[in-house]
Amino acid sequence: MILIAVSVALMAVIASVSGLNVAQTDLAVEFGASQSTVLWIINIYTLALAALLLPLGAIGDRIGRKPMLIAGLVVFGVASVLAGLAPTAGIMLAARVLSGVGAAMIMPITLAVITSTFPEEERGKAIGVWTGVAGGGGVIGMFLSALLVDVASWRWLFLLPVALVGVALALTLRSVPDSREHAGHSFDTVGALTSVVAVTGLIFALQEGPEKGWGAPVTLSALTVGVLATAAFVARELRRREAALLDVRLFRERRLASGSVTLLVVFGVQAGIAVVLFPFLQAVLGWSGLLSTLALMPMAVLMMLTSGLAPRLAARVGARTTMATGIALGGAGLALMALFVSVGGGYLSILPGMLSMGLGMGLAMTPSTEAITASLPRERQGVASALNDVTREFGTALGVALLGALLSAGYRSAVDDRLGGIPRDAADTAREGVANAVEAAGGTGPHREALLDAAQRSFVDGWQQAMWAGVAVMAALLLLVLLRGPKSPAPGPGADAPAPRTEAGTRALQEAVRAGSPVAPTGRPAPPGHAADRPGSAPGSSPSRPTR
């Protein structure tokens, strides 16, 4: 029941990330909004979500994960109702920001509840289910959203998250136990605010770069702010050590480092593939939005199934081998699509590659997620889960920006040589993208077929360029995991993560021993409230057990 509750809550958040993509035209007509405003209505949710994940995950660790989850569900539900009833674009934007705040309260807590309550022998399977929902839930949400837009109205898109929130709230109140961190230090407020600025600047730059241009002042300004804030955040967290919002020294461990990089790349490639697939299915093959979304379901279903099977495989052959196998299958899927995609071959020319990618992504995501959560102690699982989610959001934004840019560059380069004899106005429109070319072809009379053929074949050329770039990235990731991946199945977060082996840490341990201070099982001086501090506590017992 706990797993169902957090999975339903997570599905509400994930479905809202991609749901509005299918209603861009309807939003523009309803509000009389520009394309830029419509994109902001879609992207502001992701921006608010990514920026607030770390601080709200840490606050949830302190005040209690169940209260934070309940509050997040209420905020998210109210915001979804407000968005569904919004009379203007301004109110819609405000509602989407509020939805992002609620989502940032929900998303890290869902995984933290799993890692802090499930016994170690069941934790891997539960994380596999969570990962499958996080990976495939976006496609399922997009399909249901497209169905609602087709049969009703775009305003009905918000009925789905409201219904999911209602179910999740009822299950959470009934079944989810509470757990929290008993911290012996003050909350890192400055670090939290710095992390918000850093993530906002970097995500904003990635979202605006493809639209405004990478050399545009707004893009460069956001990127500069993001990089400087990231440097300031790292410097502060290094000084605060165990009292930090996120102990960045833990990135020296291969589990955390390899897990984070794998999730970054895997989600980047997955998001970039969606950017490539939809224009192919709609503009090249002429499919509707609903049918195009349905075409992605085999990949999403395989991803969800293999996410559940990955923990068993990791227990048998090791996390590193499982991750490497998934990455290899994902790279092979990209290569298959690059080799066999064609206008004439249609959907069947890309289906084998999509299936291979679904298998690979599912196998790679679960052990990567488990590696991240296992690197931080049980009482910091809100932060661990938030780090996992921030990595996913960064990967998604990065993949959309880079693979989308490669596709566009490849298309423009190829289409220029194929527009001979096409009227100038139509040719100029066709250079903007394959969808623009399809729209312009209707007014070119006898040149219609030639323009369509030129645009579709040029899109395939751009597709292949983007896919081969993805193959190169996956090959580099495979090499990294083989050399620096987890050596064995990652232990669960029931025990504290080992302290980084630094001279300062060794001196602190020696001083604690000389002073007669209790020492935690990790080799760190025990914080107040640790099991080693409490009379009658067994050595190595969990410092923060869930309480009902």
Side-chain angles (χ1 to χ4, degrees):
M1 293 303 294
I2 294 170
L3 184 58
I4 292 172
V6 297
S7 296
V8 172
L10 178 65
M11 177 64 80
V13 171
I14 296 297
S16 294
V17 172
S18 55
L20 275 185
N21 281 315
V22 302
Q24 293 188 41
T25 303
D26 301 83
L27 291 171
V29 172
E30 178 78 17
F31 297 128
S34 66
Q35 179 64 20
S36 177
T37 301
V38 171
L39 288 176
W40 266 113
I41 289 174
I42 295 170
N43 291 336
I44 197 70
Y45 171 81
T46 307
L47 186 64
L49 167 62
L52 295 172
L53 280 168
L54 270 179
L56 290 181
I59 291 172
D61 282 336
R62 286 174 172 256
I63 69 173
R65 296 177 182 115
K66 182 173 183 176
M68 178 62 90
L69 181 56
I70 291 171
L73 288 168
V74 171
V75 170
F76 189 82
V78 170
S80 297
V81 171
L82 181 61
L85 300 175
T88 65
I91 294 178
M92 173 62 86
L93 281 167
R96 293 288 286 172
V97 172
L98 189 61
S99 293
V101 175
M105 299 168 72
I106 295 169
M107 196 170 183
I109 299 304
T110 57
L111 183 56
V113 165
I114 290 174
T115 55
S116 62
T117 58
F118 275 72
E120 188 169 353
E121 64 272 14
E122 296 179 7
R123 191 175 300 129
K125 298 175 185 177
I127 290 176
V129 173
W130 185 95
T131 305
V133 173
V139 176
I140 295 175
M142 190 178 294
F143 170 72
L144 294 175
S145 298
L147 183 62
L148 285 170
V149 169
D150 274 10
V151 302
S153 161
W154 67 267
R155 294 187 181 275
W156 286 85
L157 290 176
F158 298 97
L159 178 65
L160 176 62
V162 169
L164 291 173
V165 162
V167 174
L169 190 57
L171 292 174
T172 298
L173 290 169
R174 178 180 178 182
S175 304
V176 174
D178 193 17
S179 59
R180 69 187 67 197
E181 170 193 1
H182 301 286
H185 52 78
S186 61
F187 182 72
D188 186 9
T189 304
V190 175
L193 293 175
T194 308
S195 76
V196 170
V197 175
V199 175
T200 300
L202 294 175
I203 294 289
F204 182 87
L206 290 172
Q207 289 179 344
E208 290 296 294
E211 183 72 17
K212 299 285 181 64
W214 295 104
V218 64
T219 305
L220 292 177
S221 299
L223 187 59
T224 302
V225 169
V227 170
L228 291 177
T230 300
F233 175 77
V234 171
R236 176 176 175 80
E237 302 309 280
L238 285 172
R239 287 197 304 271
R240 284 184 62 91
R241 297 180 176 275
E242 283 78 11
L245 180 73
L246 173 64
D247 190 350
V248 295
R249 296 174 299 165
L250 292 171
F251 280 96
R252 297 170 185 170
E253 295 183 19
R254 60 170 62 199
R255 280 184 303 166
L256 184 59
S258 61
S260 298
V261 173
T262 299
L263 278 187
L264 182 79
V265 173
V266 165
F267 268 80
V269 169
Q270 179 188 350
I273 288 302
V275 171
V276 174
L277 277 173
F278 273 103
F280 177 78
L281 296 171
Q282 293 179 299
V284 176
L285 302 186
W287 290 8
S288 66
L290 181 61
L291 187 57
S292 299
T293 308
L294 184 62
L296 300 183
M297 293 296 284
M299 182 172 67
V301 170
L302 272 181
M303 189 186 306
M304 297 179 76
L305 290 176
T306 51
S307 292
L309 296 174
R312 300 180 185 177
L313 184 60
R316 288 176 175 269
V317 302
R320 175 164 54 182
T321 303
T322 305
M323 289 167 64
T325 302
I327 293 165
L329 283 170
L334 292 172
L336 286 171
M337 286 193 282
L339 288 170
F340 297 114
V341 63
S342 66
V343 178
Y347 181 62
L348 293 180
S349 69
I350 62 172
L351 182 59
M354 289 173 56
L355 297 179
S356 181
M357 278 199 64
L359 288 170
M361 298 301 184
L363 289 178
M365 287 190 298
T366 300
S368 302
T369 298
E370 204 169 356
I372 293 174
T373 57
S375 298
L376 274 79
R378 184 189 292 270
E379 71 272 16
R380 304 299 301 276
Q381 284 304 295
V383 174
S385 305
L387 176 61
N388 172 81
D389 298 333
V390 169
T391 303
R392 291 167 181 264
E393 295 300 330
F394 265 118
T396 298
L398 196 60
V400 169
L402 296 184
L403 286 183
L406 285 171
L407 173 65
S408 297
Y411 170 83
R412 285 194 299 268
S413 175
V415 79
D416 276 337
D417 298 330
R418 294 174 173 148
L419 293 176
I422 304 296
R424 177 177 296 180
D425 289 345
D428 290 341
T429 302
R431 289 186 180 93
E432 296 175 8
V434 65
N436 305 80
V438 171
E439 185 177 351
T444 57
H447 301 287
R448 179 179 181 277
E449 293 301 324
L451 180 55
L452 285 177
D453 180 69
Q456 290 170 348
R457 287 195 291 136
S458 298
F459 181 86
V460 168
D461 289 345
W463 167 301
Q464 291 173 318
Q465 179 173 310
M467 292 301 101
W468 285 122
V471 171
V473 171
M474 294 292 274
L477 177 62
L478 177 60
L479 184 62
L480 173 67
V481 168
L482 289 174
L483 294 176
R484 296 290 300 169
K487 289 184 177 180
S488 60
D496 288 349
R501 296 183 180 179
T502 62
E503 292 182 9
T506 303
R507 285 197 301 271
L509 177 59
Q510 291 169 344
E511 290 169 4
V513 172
R514 283 197 296 270
S517 299
V519 177
T522 55
R524 291 184 182 137
H530 191 279
D533 247 351
R534 298 194 293 269
S537 294
S541 63
S542 172
S544 176
R545 292 189 182 277
T547 56
R548 290 190 182 273

